[in-house]
Structures are given as C-alpha cells and as structure tokens.
Amino acid sequence: MNKIVLIDCSSEVTSALAELLGEQCSLSNISSEDRIVPEENRMIVLEADASPDAIYLKISRIRAACKFKDIPIIVIKRREDRIPLEHFLSSGATEVLSLDAPPGACRQILRGHLIPNRKPLEKEMAYLVPFIENTVQVLKTTASLEVAFREVYFSNTFRIFGDISGIIGLSGESEGTVAVTLYWRLARNIIARMMNVQEERINAEYIHDGVGELINVISGSTKKRFKGTPFHFELSLPTVVVGSGHQLGHPEGSSIAVLIFDVDDSAFVLQVCLKPKKHLI
Amino acid sequence: MLILVVDDSMVARNILKNVLEPMGHEVIEASNGREALKILEKLAKEVGCVLLDWNMPVMNGFETLQAIRSDKDCGHILILMVSTESEDEFIERAIAAGANGYLAKPFSAEELKAKMADILKAAKPR
C-alpha cells in the first residue's frame, strides 16, 4: 500500500486523486506541511491555490525536509491557469497536473511516479562502496565529522535539490562524473571545519571554493582504489554550481547512482556516474 | 621558515596555512605553478620550502617541480607534494623528479606536521 499525503487539499482534489490512484494507495489529508514526516510517505500532494508564492515556499520546505530522498511532490491545479510551471518545478515539485487534463494521462503520470527507484546490483556496489567509504573517511579526516551512509538508488529522472554542487569529470579506463550536492548551511559548516575556523569567517567565496576541493579530494582518494580495474579514471579540475534548484547534467545514456549521507540532522548527496569503456555490467 | 604554498584551491591553501603558521612558519601563497615560479624569481633565497599541489590549471605541480629543480637558485628549497593523486606511480615520479616528500589528500593536521618534521629532519644533515 502506497502512503500518500495531501496537504491542505480541497475535497474536489482529494476525491479526484482517490479515483485516479485507486485502491493501492492510502490517502491522508493534513492541514499543514509542518506536520509532515516526508520519509513515511510515497508521494506528497499540494493544491495550487490563488497564492502561488505560498505554495513555492511550502514546496521548498518540504523538499528540504525530504533530505534528498526521492519522494515525488505533486502540485494539483483544479483547472489550467497561466502560472508558469517552472516556478513550481524549481522550488522542488516533481510534477504539476491539472484536473482539466484527461484522467487517463493523469493516472499514468501519477502511477509512474510511484514506481520505486532501482537499487544497485551487487556488481554495481563494487564501484560504489569505495566512494561510500572514502566519502566517510574524507570528512572524518579533514573536517572531524562523523558521517553516516544512509542509502543508495539509481535514478535518471530525480532532480537533486540543494544549494551548491561540486562536480568533477572523469576520463580514462572509465568515464563519467562525480558530484556532491549540499544545502548552504551544511556546506558552510563543513568548510569551516576543514579550515579549522569559526563559521562566521566562512564567506560565499570560501564555500564555493571549498565544495570544489571537497569533491576533488573525495574523487582523488577513491581513484586509487580502482587502480588496475576497469573502473580506474583520471580527474579533471572540479567545477562548482550554485543556486537553489540547480540541475546537473551527466553523460547521456548512463545510470546515476544517488548516495545519501547523514550528518547530524542534515544530509548531503553524492551522485556517481561511472561507465567503464569495457562493457562490464 | 618561509613556506610557499601552491594550490588552486583557496580553501586548501588556508588549511595548510592554518597548520603551518602556528608551527612558527611564515606562509606565502600561489594559485598555480606559473605564479609560484614568479614568486621564486624574486624570493628564491628566502623561501625554504614549497608545498605543491599536483592538479592545477595554467601550470601543474609536476611541471612546477621540474622547473624548480632545474633552477640552481632553488637548490636549497625543500619540496613537499600535497595532492589527491595518491597512486604509487605519482609518488615515484615526484620523488624521482626531486620532491623531498609526498603527502596524499585527505590528511589531518597531525599528518601534515609529521610530514613537515620528516622532510626538515632529512634535510638538516646536508
């Protein structure tokens, strides 16, 4: 049974969703996003009302509370309007649907979002485990931070929402990209710890530079573990992308492993996209 | 000792600086090899040690190492490579080209202090 939570939805939207999703879903309607525990739900639904700014804010808060877990956030419009979809999507929504649209199409889209992400095969874990172990080790050594690996899944569709990403291109025996994505507050904390200074001294320039150095060290130290294997790679220089709702591109046709790590009450994500030139998997 | 820290990451330079200065060293910085060589043109006699990253834009650490070692005015300078490139072949290449030591990232403050002590100790009898 898929648990779906509706936040402050009208009876019209609630009954329409119940019909669209069928008996395999259990729907509950709550009055405020403050009461939501995102990870307990398979989908979160909001209704777009007359005040889109309030909805954008709600979506951003829910997306942050999901701590990088791929929980679809669906915005339902009772009827088509002229509010651009982009604002909903860049706030963290997965999909915007209108009840004016054909029910068959809406049903198919909603059910598509309920398909769970693929978990890695054992042979895929062979190249993911070194990244997991080295990420934990790098943060322990450089920032004295205890980091716990939470979960990994493959997704080619989920957009990772964070404030800043460090990305590094890989080439050689294997090709691809590795990226770390964090929210600003955790990034500032990590960089301050790496530099052994108070957080107040860490400005945007340090965070920007430090996130690049972080992905550089994670990738570089992991590279050694692949020596003599088809997963070995050479590093490019890191680049950094900043901005809420930013999106990263990965090489076409490749699978992206999303690795989630917890640090106290916060979380960050490592995206690993690694494809050996010799086809192994 | 006057130490020249060469790394394209400002944060990486600061990490090194925040360990070296409390040890009593004075630190100057360059963000790539070419900048480092320009500094050494003027301050070769004063600089006692260079900490050198490997992967940098403009001029990488290995090219910089080779350039410093081919300059007779820099013969006294100790060179510690500090890099994410931690595979044996990188270390062997650097040592063969004249590096006095190699420290792989990530490292703790204690590991940096120990490595500095090692290369300073090894340099003393010369």
Side-chain angles (χ1 to χ4, degrees), chain A residues 139 142-145 182-200 202 207 263-264 266:
Chain A
L139 284 155
T142 63
S144 305
L145 263 180
L182 312 97
Y183 282 103
W184 201 251
R185 191 171 62 90
L186 180 61
R188 181 193 295 272
N189 180 260
I190 289 174
I191 307 310
R193 283 168 162 272
M194 284 167 72
M195 289 172 57
N196 197 23
V197 297
Q198 296 293 313
E199 278 191 45
E200 294 72 35
I202 301 300
I207 296 173
V263 189
D264 296 329
S266 194

Side-chain angles (χ1 to χ4, degrees), chain A residues 112-123:
Chain A
H113 287 302
L114 288 171
I115 298 169
N117 282 313
R118 181 172 75 80
K119 291 288 178 186
L121 306 169
E122 200 173 314
K123 54 190 174 184

Side-chain angles (χ1 to χ4, degrees), chain A:
Chain A
M1 183 72 81
N2 291 305
K3 284 181 74 178
I4 294 171
V5 65
L6 287 66
I7 299 171
D8 203 16
C9 288
S10 63
S11 55
E12 186 185 346
V13 166
T14 307
S15 55
L17 274 172
E19 197 164 315
L20 288 169
L21 289 164
E23 289 174 357
Q24 294 304 306
C25 297
S26 122
L27 273 60
S28 58
N29 203 344
I30 62 172
S31 57
S32 163
E33 77 274 15
D34 295 337
R35 293 173 48 211
I36 199 172
V37 184
E39 60 269 28
E40 289 179 358
N41 298 287
R42 191 62 203 92
M43 182 182 279
I44 298 166
V45 181
L46 293 103
E47 183 174 340
D49 56 18
S51 167
D53 287 342
I55 294 284
Y56 303 149
L57 188 63
K58 275 186 187 181
I59 296 168
S60 300
R61 288 172 61 182
I62 296 166
R63 183 51 78 202
C66 289
K67 292 184 180 175
F68 300 107
K69 200 171 171 67
D70 184 8
I71 301 170
I73 299 175
I74 310 294
V75 176
I76 304 284
K77 294 178 174 184
R78 269 188 274 182
R79 52 201 54 83
E80 277 300 344
D81 54 36
R82 291 185 175 181
I83 301 170
L85 301 184
E86 290 76 15
H87 294 304
F88 293 108
L89 299 176
S90 63
S91 301
T94 312
E95 192 81 59
V96 183
L97 294 176
S98 165
L99 294 184
D100 282 349
C106 289
R107 185 176 291 113
Q108 201 169 350
I109 290 168
L110 287 169
R111 288 185 179 172
H113 287 302
L114 288 171
I115 298 169
N117 282 313
R118 181 172 75 80
K119 291 288 178 186
L121 306 169
E122 200 173 314
K123 54 190 174 184
E124 289 169 320
M125 285 307 286
Y127 75 85
L128 295 174
V129 166
F131 281 102
I132 294 167
E133 291 176 350
N134 276 24
T135 301
V136 171
Q137 190 57 42
V138 164
L139 284 155
K140 188 173 188 176
T141 307
T142 63
S144 305
L145 263 180
E146 291 298 330
V147 169
F149 168 66
R150 192 202 312 160
E151 66 168 301
V152 54
Y153 56 82
F154 278 92
S155 174
N156 292 332
T157 54
F158 179 47
R159 284 187 301 144
I160 301 296
F161 280 88
D163 296 324
I164 183 162
S165 293
I167 185 162
I168 203 158
L170 313 175
S171 60
E173 295 287 310
S174 269
E175 290 176 334
T177 47
V178 185
V180 65
T181 300
L182 312 97
Y183 282 103
W184 201 251
R185 191 171 62 90
L186 180 61
R188 181 193 295 272
N189 180 260
I190 289 174
I191 307 310
R193 283 168 162 272
M194 284 167 72
M195 289 172 57
N196 197 23
V197 297
Q198 296 293 313
E199 278 191 45
E200 294 72 35
R201 280 192 55 195
I202 301 300
N203 59 24
E205 203 181 349
Y206 279 124
I207 296 173
H208 189 277
D209 183 281
V211 169
E213 178 66 1
L214 181 62
I215 194 62
N216 183 39
V217 178
I218 289 171
S219 311
S221 59
T222 306
K223 175 191 167 194
K224 188 183 180 183
R225 302 267 301 264
F226 296 128
K227 183 75 186 162
T229 78
F231 295 110
H232 191 255
F233 51 77
E234 298 301 331
L235 303 170
S236 67
L237 293 171
T239 50
V240 174
V241 186
V242 181
S244 182
H246 67 265
Q247 207 167 351
L248 301 179
H250 294 279
E252 196 185 348
S254 49
S255 296
I256 300 144
V258 179
L259 295 88
I260 308 178
F261 297 85
D262 288 316
V263 189
D264 296 329
D265 63 341
S266 194
F268 68 91
V269 151
L270 196 73
Q271 292 178 72
V272 179
C273 173
L274 189 63
K275 195 175 179 184
K277 280 183 184 163
K278 287 180 193 168
H279 189 75
L280 294 178
I281 295 168

Side-chain angles (χ1 to χ4, degrees), chain B residues 55-124:
Chain B
N55 294 323
M56 291 183 288
V58 185
M59 185 179 196
N60 71 35
F62 187 71
E63 292 163 341
T64 314
L65 168 66
Q66 289 176 311
I68 296 172
R69 282 297 173 243
S70 65
D71 184 342
K72 60 179 175 21
D73 291 339
C74 297
H76 64 284
I77 295 176
L78 300 169
I79 299 178
L80 175 63
M81 296 296 291
V82 183
S83 175
T84 55
E85 299 287 4
S86 55
E87 288 160 38
D88 291 346
E89 65 188 69
F90 282 84
I91 299 172
E92 285 160 13
R93 275 177 72 197
I95 299 297
N100 300 79
Y102 203 106
L103 180 63
K105 296 178 184 177
F107 56 83
S108 63
E110 287 66 35
E111 285 167 323
L112 172 60
K113 286 176 192 170
K115 189 60 82 171
M116 284 300 293
D118 283 351
I119 65 165
L120 291 171
K121 194 176 167 188
K124 267 186 183 168

